[in-house]
Amino acid sequence: MRSSLPWFQSPRFPLYLAPMAGVSDKIFRQFCKERGADVLVTEFVSAEGVFRRNERTRGYLDFDECERPIGVQLFGGNAEHMAEAAKQVVDWVRPDFIDLNFGCPVNKVVAKNGGSALLKDCPTLAAVAEAVVRAVAPLPVTAKIRIGWDADSINASRVAKILEETGIQAVAVHGRTRAQGYSGEADWKVIGEVVQAVSIPVIGNGDLTSGEEVIRRRTETGIAGAMIGRAAMSAPWIFNQVKHYFATGEQLASPGIEEKWALIQRHCQLAIEEWGREDQAIRSMRARLMAYSKGFPNGKLLREKFQHVSSLHEINEIASEHLMVGRDSVESSVSRSGSTESRPTNLLSID
Ligand SMILES: Cc1cc2nc3c(=O)[nH]c(=O)nc-3n(C[C@H](O)[C@H](O)[C@H](O)COP(=O)(O)O)c2cc1C
């Protein structure tokens, strides 16, 4: 593998937070960075939106210095527009790299020949990559792909080779086809084939949920880095857990429930500051609260409550009540067992 990207020299096996529209905003990216993520990527941004310079697009591009190295992810199917948009983004926010989205399965994007549609149209994919590489040089450009359009057209190795030839400096491969959406399992065999096909770094992506799994996939495929998405939505500390497992071969326990609630409350507080409107901010947090509370005791009840929240006060009340019930049930189980030992805090620490 050859790479001029510094984050493949140190820490050598970088952990990426996957770009996730509606999830990997500035607040969440920073949470993940504080918890071990090495490389961040913004939510995808439409090249056309960049032209229109609308507020919303501008918001997606916003990041803080502490997030570096960070890439801005662009999507679009028109080479000229993509190149112009990439140049504008570089002028505005000076990211560490531009990432091209060739994997998005969403109809709205695919219909405009963006995202994974380009996996079916290699000449246009090459034209887009080449134009963006030329437009922003010497700033590095990377790409994110799926393994193919559908099971009959798996072409990730060919696509990765084309991208390498255009000057793309690393490629992240999500081991699913466009047709799969998020169903089934990621095909890591194909990811391994991509590693063999190119000499640029390949970042493996799909269904990674633990350090053990990342090591197994790395050994099987020879990937140069790993990208984690959905697992981080409910456990942003997963990056530190992966690193701990790499260093020691042991699992690092997840934070206790109090710490998890503190993180949720902090996220809500920061979202309010970001939005400037508490009700809007908390409503926008509902889906995030569902993800954060995955695996919490009484999760079903919590999720029902989260569907209706619109203020931080309500979140704080739910947290206090939930922690109180947790403590009561631990105490009653201790008194039932007649134990005089210290509180079994592991009952409060649930993945
Ligand atoms: C809510 C959500 C939003 C996503 N948005 C993007 C995106 O903007 N750009 C992109 O390249 N991939 C996007 N993805 C795909 C992820 O980056 C990643 O490839 C996928 O979730 C598989 O990784 P995982 O199994 O670790 O979650 C998104 C996924 C989810 C769940």
Side-chain angles (χ1 to χ4, degrees):
M1 180 202 83
R2 64 177 164 77
S3 176
S4 56
L5 301 174
W7 51 95
F8 286 96
Q9 266 99 57
S10 168
R12 296 179 81 105
F13 187 83
L15 301 178
Y16 279 67
L17 168 66
M20 289 184 286
V23 176
S24 53
D25 54 15
K26 188 163 92 170
I27 299 169
F28 188 67
R29 290 194 306 262
Q30 292 188 13
F31 275 13
C32 292
K33 182 90 187 183
E34 287 160 11
R35 291 162 183 79
D38 297 304
V39 187
L40 305 174
V41 186
T42 63
E43 306 168 64
F44 67 179
V45 177
S46 141
E48 308 305 323
V50 172
F51 288 139
R52 285 197 300 274
R53 293 173 178 261
N54 64 20
E55 270 300 299
R56 207 154 163 208
T57 304
R58 186 69 223 199
Y60 293 139
L61 297 176
D62 187 32
F63 63 81
D64 289 337
E65 285 301 302
C66 65
E67 295 180 57
R68 294 188 184 278
I70 184 166
V72 167
Q73 192 187 62
L74 286 175
F75 74 91
N78 178 308
E80 224 177 285
H81 288 192
M82 283 287 275
E84 194 48 45
K87 255 203 296 206
Q88 286 193 13
V89 165
V90 173
D91 282 350
W92 284 350
V93 293
R94 308 226 157 263
D96 297 277
F97 61 103
I98 294 286
D99 186 57
L100 302 178
N101 179 318
F102 297 129
C104 181
V106 175
N107 283 334
K108 231 169 94 181
V109 172
V110 170
K112 290 188 185 148
N113 208 19
S116 56
L118 290 179
L119 299 175
K120 283 193 304 185
D121 180 358
C122 290
T124 305
L125 173 129
V128 167
E130 211 165 66
V132 175
V133 167
R134 203 174 324 116
V136 302
L139 196 84
V141 182
T142 63
K144 181 158 176 281
I145 64 174
R146 285 188 173 230
I147 56 173
W149 178 257
D150 61 20
D152 297 326
S153 57
I154 291 176
N155 62 351
S157 294
R158 179 160 164 254
V159 166
K161 260 198 247 177
I162 293 171
L163 292 172
E164 180 176 32
E165 279 160 19
T166 66
I168 291 290
Q169 300 213 14
V171 62
V173 185
H174 175 193
R176 286 187 174 80
T177 61
R178 188 269 176 178
Q180 275 180 290
Y182 291 91
S183 65
E185 281 175 17
D187 186 339
W188 281 83
K189 196 168 147 281
V190 177
I191 296 177
E193 288 164 10
V194 177
V195 174
Q196 295 305 315
V198 293
S199 42
I200 52 174
V202 174
I203 303 130
N205 171 238
D207 306 337
L208 295 172
T209 55
S210 70
E212 209 172 347
E213 226 170 288
V214 174
I215 288 208
R216 180 163 67 88
R217 295 309 192 184
R218 181 189 186 178
T219 310
E220 283 169 4
T221 62
I223 48 171
M227 178 180 273
I228 302 177
R230 287 165 299 169
M233 283 170 68
S234 46
W237 46 86
I238 188 169
F239 302 97
N240 275 340
Q241 289 180 318
V242 172
K243 286 182 169 170
H244 185 83
Y245 193 85
F246 273 27
T248 66
E250 284 167 15
Q251 315 275 4
L252 181 68
S254 292
I257 195 99
E258 276 98 351
E259 201 178 326
K260 289 180 179 176
W261 268 114
L263 181 138
I264 292 172
Q265 287 163 305
R266 174 139 182 76
H267 195 154
C268 291
Q269 181 63 51
L270 292 171
I272 293 168
E273 286 165 25
E274 191 71 23
W275 282 72
R277 282 262 324 254
E278 179 166 353
D279 54 343
Q280 279 180 359
I282 299 296
R283 271 191 215 112
S284 81
M285 283 294 297
R286 287 176 184 171
R288 319 302 310 280
L289 296 167
M290 305 289 178
Y292 275 136
S293 60
K294 203 172 151 200
F296 275 25
N298 300 321
K300 191 160 170 263
L301 189 68
L302 271 184
R303 283 186 277 281
E304 272 162 26
K305 291 186 180 171
F306 287 152
Q307 278 173 24
H308 308 289
V309 287
S310 53
S311 72
L312 184 57
H313 176 74
E314 286 170 86
I315 306 271
N316 292 342
E317 294 270 288
I318 295 170
S320 306
E321 196 187 335
H322 189 249
L323 287 168
M324 188 83 77
V325 170
R327 271 185 215 111
D328 286 351
S329 67
V330 170
E331 272 155 18
S332 67
S333 80
V334 170
S335 69
R336 263 203 311 280
S337 70
S339 170
T340 52
E341 288 171 19
S342 61
R343 176 185 292 172
T345 46
N346 58 332
L347 281 182
L348 286 173
S349 172
I350 290 153
D351 281 44

